[in-house]
Amino acid sequence: MSQTIALDDTPFLPADGARTSSARAMALGHTSEYLAFKLGGEEYGIDILRVQEIRSFEPPTRMANAPHGVLGVLDLRGVIVPVVDLRLHLRFAEARYDSNTVVIVLSITGRVVGVVVDGVSDVISLGPKQMRPAPGFNARLSAEHVMGIGTIDRRMLILVDIDPLLSDPALGLLNL
């Protein structure tokens, strides 16, 4: 399980673009929970309140002329869910589909979207003292998509603000 690490008393201030409920909670000094997942060799975290369910990967129904990164759609108990492979969308060199590959089904501003990742590990609770702003440099994720860096024990999670990431016009998922 997770444990609290005392770093210092500097309050965490999320990135300017971060507007999720967990970012607001962190700014107010509350503990937030994140689903830890893998993309490539890195570990990322997403606000657990956005996660509807985690499913094993099954190839979605392909859609003609789908944007790069959109694999197709799944029928999730009568709801048609667009599926985005984050590895393809973020231009990772490789996107293997194996027994660890999963689809994280998210609820984003009233819409359900599935994202494909290399695997999930656990849910991690992070307090304000475990949060740091992300350093500014050219990375796969632009600054508006990163809320900060969470640290626990020797682990570091890149905390993703999923709303603007999935609202990217290149994905064609309108009205997110």
Side-chain angles (χ1 to χ4, degrees):
M1 288 293 156
S2 61
Q3 66 184 45
T4 303
I5 298 172
L7 297 173
D8 63 26
D9 291 328
T10 307
F12 169 69
L13 298 174
D16 291 337
R19 61 192 180 284
T20 64
S21 59
S22 64
R24 287 189 297 273
M26 294 307 296
L28 295 173
H30 297 104
T31 298
S32 292
E33 292 185 321
Y34 296 88
L35 176 66
F37 64 91
K38 294 261 188 191
L39 284 177
E42 300 299 324
E43 197 167 21
Y44 295 81
I46 186 170
D47 182 358
I48 194 68
L49 297 176
R50 299 279 190 219
V51 178
Q52 185 172 313
E53 68 181 270
I54 301 167
R55 301 174 52 91
S56 59
F57 178 77
E58 59 184 72
T61 302
R62 307 254 338 147
M63 299 292 292
N65 299 317
H68 182 76
V70 178
L71 297 181
V73 295
L74 289 176
D75 182 350
L76 185 63
R77 296 178 295 281
V79 176
I80 302 302
V81 178
V83 178
V84 176
D85 191 323
L86 284 183
R87 302 164 304 179
L88 296 175
H89 178 58
L90 296 174
R91 310 273 188 224
F92 278 77
E94 182 180 27
R96 288 191 346 237
Y97 300 94
D98 58 27
S99 61
N100 292 323
T101 306
V102 297
V103 177
I104 303 172
V105 179
L106 304 168
S107 178
I108 308 289
T109 59
R111 182 128 187 232
V112 180
V113 177
V115 294
V116 178
V117 299
D118 289 327
V120 295
S121 56
D122 53 357
V123 175
I124 296 175
S125 295
L126 296 172
K129 294 180 181 180
Q130 295 168 293
M131 303 288 297
R132 293 290 172 259
F137 55 83
N138 191 10
R140 282 189 202 282
L141 287 171
S142 69
E144 70 181 279
H145 302 142
V146 178
M147 293 180 347
I149 304 293
T151 59
I152 187 158
D153 297 327
R154 294 187 180 257
R155 288 171 73 183
M156 288 191 357
L157 292 176
I158 301 166
L159 303 176
V160 178
D161 190 0
I162 199 70
D163 291 45
L165 181 62
L166 293 180
S167 296
D168 184 343
L171 285 175
L173 301 175
L174 302 176
N175 302 320
L176 284 182

